[in-house]
Amino acid sequence: MSPKKSYHRISYARYLRICADENYSDWLAIYERLLHEQLPKWKNRVHRLKYKPLISVIIYVDNGQKNPDRTIESLKRQVYDRWEYFLVNDENLDQVLAKTSGEYLCFLFAGDVLSEIALACIVSFLNKNGDFDVIYTDSDSIDEEKRCSPRLKPDFSPEYYLSHDYIQNLVVFKIDDLEAIGGFERGYGHYTIYRAFLKLWKHKGKLKVGHIPIVLYSKGWEYEEEEWERGLLALKEFLSWYAPDAKVEKGQIPHTFRVRYPLPLEEPPVSIVIPTRDRVDLLSRCVSSILEKTDYQAYEILIVDNGSRKRGTLEFFKSISRKEKVRVLKYDIPFNFSKLINFGVKHSRGEIVCLLNNDTEVISPIWLKEMVSRAIRKEIGVVGARLLYSDHRVQHAGVVVGLWRGADHAFKRLPADDPGYMYRAILPGNYLAVTAACMVFRKEIFWEVGGFDEKNLAISFNDLDFCLKVYEKGYRIVYTPYAELYHYESRSRGYNSNRNRQAQKELAYIRKKWKKYIERDPYYNPNLTIYREDFRLGKKIRLHCEV
């Protein structure tokens, strides 16, 4: 066997040892063992807590059909003992707050089970992190007494939450806040918490939401088909305040929703900036797909030519420049992607900019309309698209920071018709970054953060760095699957050892500059692996809530 084959075989064996799939039953067994070992420590922690609020627990019994005994027993096993509980149904749901004495409230359904440290963890979180409007935890389900279907959630993701009630439970509210919005409403079933959360968001305008990434709650229910309409009703009422002209409809998968944001009557002008060098076969297909398929009129295509030499490319430039919507600008410098982008944005005419690789091809005609309608919202900084390989597998569905101790694309190589973990591949959501192969932003935001880093990130991670700078300014980064394109990844430039060495330097720079996000991406649960892109369980199991 050749040394090269031996090396690859050893590397692959090491990969399997580090990255092998984790079965939830096995993962849970280790988790429960660790929890059991740490129970004495948790009891000691509870004893030392300075702030010990009373927590009121509501147990909702749906027409008396479900037995609440299992839920009550899990309450009695709590390490934290300052709690009270009330049994309610639709008849007395709107009266229960008047009977509570606590500062915080959990809403459970009969049959649900709390981990022994659930309330202790919540109170510890409050002691360590201060006040929050809402706190939620990770969860799983109980199916015939067996725990399954872990929901390892991201930190609060507004775009995701408006597409799917991914939080579900365990959720903790302040009772004063619930009283301010009139408490819980009848008739919403398992969407009762979703309805209350959205009402509170509307009431306060902005919520401080805490997330404890530990499985502290097991639900004993699943949504009924008719409840989907109740979730839609709650979302419509919320959007009447949040985005009055938006339209919302049921998604393709039960209990998901699609929000369509409006555009102004006069479409904002968009500059589509495409850096390129030769490879006219790719560029011509990219440009043609924009011109022929795009269901948006107010745009220009600005091609930034980085020193093309081939006759076919130059003839294409001459021909395509005759079209009203297309301009070609020459910028013949040693390859520096950040400089090419900054040059293109500087010379763009639109108030909105779309960065687009020359090796992309439009699939959905609404791609630009969808991205611009989100990018013009004041709270949004950057919008990214769903990109597919030519074989209809996912190439990009957002960027997860920390994968492979750097960053990589979410759900890479996932079949296009696979919804992904918790539907995240097919629903809009928030990430720390999206790829510059197709991203849209307001030009004012680009210059607010200083554009792309020409000095330190000439080749790689410049889009990641840009998005993180935007995120740190308080804007949200959005991935939308409804803007869909092919991406024939990196075909326009072949392998270059000098560029590869430079990329390694840039990776080291990113690891140092954005260390806190590489260690903890808020939109990626820390219980998931960093050695794959498909959101599988990780091998490391930690109890992340500490005093």
Side-chain angles (χ1 to χ4, degrees), residues 275-298:
T276 193
R277 180 176 181 178
D278 289 315
R279 289 310 305 263
V280 69
D281 54 331
L282 295 174
L283 179 64
S284 61
R285 178 166 52 188
C286 173
V287 173
S288 296
S289 73
I290 297 170
L291 295 171
E292 294 168 8
K293 297 180 182 178
T294 302
D295 185 15
Y296 191 98
Q297 298 304 312

Side-chain angles (χ1 to χ4, degrees), residues 345-400:
V345 175
K346 181 179 179 181
H347 289 85
S348 64
R349 295 168 178 165
E351 60 189 70
I352 308 291
V353 174
C354 171
L355 303 184
L356 195 64
N357 274 21
N358 64 351
D359 55 352
T360 58
E361 179 183 356
V362 172
I363 298 174
S364 58
I366 65 164
W367 73 284
L368 195 54
K369 182 179 292 184
E370 166 68 15
M371 297 179 80
V372 173
S373 69
R374 292 179 180 273
I376 60 176
R377 297 187 60 79
K378 63 180 181 180
E379 67 273 18
I380 305 304
V382 185
V383 180
R386 172 176 155 104
L387 304 180
L388 303 179
Y389 291 112
S390 57
D391 62 0
H392 288 269
R393 292 180 300 156
V394 173
Q395 190 266 336
H396 169 270
V399 171
V400 176

Side-chain angles (χ1 to χ4, degrees), residues 71-327:
T71 307
I72 295 171
E73 285 302 312
S74 75
L75 269 175
K76 291 179 178 178
R77 292 193 297 269
Q78 291 300 300
V79 170
Y80 185 78
D81 61 1
R82 295 209 68 230
W83 51 265
E84 61 180 2
Y85 80 90
F86 301 88
L87 296 177
V88 302
N89 56 31
D90 256 3
E91 297 303 316
N92 61 2
L93 179 60
D94 55 357
Q95 304 166 18
V96 70
L97 285 184
K99 301 177 182 179
T100 60
S101 304
E103 294 179 54
Y104 291 88
L105 182 144
C106 306
F107 188 103
L108 305 180
F109 297 93
D112 294 346
V113 174
L114 293 180
S115 165
E116 293 166 277
I117 63 167
L119 300 186
C121 217
I122 289 163
V123 177
S124 294
F125 184 86
L126 288 168
N127 274 263
K128 180 180 180 181
N129 299 289
D131 199 22
F132 282 83
D133 298 310
V134 182
I135 299 170
Y136 67 93
T137 77
D138 291 348
S139 60
D140 60 16
S141 297
I142 302 175
D143 183 14
E144 298 180 352
E145 306 304 318
K146 180 182 179 182
R147 292 174 63 180
C148 59
S149 305
R151 296 183 68 82
L152 306 179
K153 307 162 190 176
D155 288 357
F156 185 50
S157 172
E159 271 62 43
Y160 187 25
Y161 197 55
L162 299 182
S163 301
H164 172 54
D165 179 16
Y166 77 91
I167 292 176
Q168 296 184 5
N169 224 355
L170 178 67
V171 178
V172 181
F173 297 96
K174 289 190 286 190
I175 287 183
D176 287 349
D177 285 341
L178 290 172
E179 290 175 341
I181 62 172
F184 296 105
E185 292 186 45
R186 300 179 183 181
Y188 281 90
H190 292 116
Y191 278 104
T192 300
I193 296 171
Y194 190 62
R195 170 65 167 156
F197 192 112
L198 293 176
K199 283 179 66 179
L200 185 60
W201 186 351
K202 177 180 176 181
H203 173 72
K204 291 207 162 188
K206 187 177 182 180
L207 289 180
K208 186 179 180 183
V209 182
H211 169 219
I212 302 173
I214 308 178
V215 179
L216 297 176
Y217 161 88
S218 300
K219 68 174 184 173
W221 54 272
E222 293 297 335
Y223 287 118
E224 302 293 336
E225 182 68 24
E226 61 270 15
E227 289 184 305
W228 194 2
E229 196 68 42
R230 300 173 190 175
L232 183 63
L233 182 64
L235 187 52
K236 283 182 177 178
E237 199 282 330
F238 171 77
L239 288 171
S240 68
W241 162 77
Y242 182 72
D245 296 325
K247 306 295 181 185
V248 59
E249 60 199 43
K250 291 180 178 178
Q252 293 184 343
I253 293 179
H255 303 287
T256 65
F257 312 102
R258 179 170 182 182
V259 179
R260 298 177 187 265
Y261 292 98
L263 285 167
L265 291 177
E266 184 175 344
E267 294 178 339
V270 178
S271 294
I272 303 174
V273 177
I274 307 175
T276 193
R277 180 176 181 178
D278 289 315
R279 289 310 305 263
V280 69
D281 54 331
L282 295 174
L283 179 64
S284 61
R285 178 166 52 188
C286 173
V287 173
S288 296
S289 73
I290 297 170
L291 295 171
E292 294 168 8
K293 297 180 182 178
T294 302
D295 185 15
Y296 191 98
Q297 298 304 312
Y299 71 86
E300 67 163 350
I301 299 174
L302 179 57
I303 299 171
V304 179
D305 174 27
N306 183 213
S308 294
R309 298 288 187 268
K310 295 185 178 180
R311 177 182 298 178
T313 307
L314 301 179
E315 289 177 351
F316 173 75
F317 288 157
K318 185 176 180 180
S319 172
I320 201 69
S321 295
R322 298 191 186 104
K323 293 189 177 292
E324 182 181 355
K325 288 184 177 292
V326 182
R327 289 190 292 146

Side-chain angles (χ1 to χ4, degrees), residues 495-538:
Y495 175 80
N496 181 296
S497 59
N498 290 328
R499 285 204 298 269
N500 189 53
R501 285 193 292 272
Q502 179 64 24
Q504 291 301 314
K505 291 180 182 178
E506 292 171 355
L507 173 59
Y509 174 81
I510 283 289
R511 283 174 170 168
K512 182 177 180 180
K513 180 178 181 180
W514 299 112
K515 180 182 177 182
K516 64 179 178 180
Y517 294 126
I518 287 177
E519 292 180 349
R520 172 76 165 92
D521 182 334
Y523 299 113
Y524 189 72
N525 194 288
N527 293 297
L528 299 172
T529 182
I530 63 167
Y531 296 109
R532 294 184 68 128
E533 302 89 1
D534 56 4
F535 289 58
R536 298 197 184 191
L537 286 167

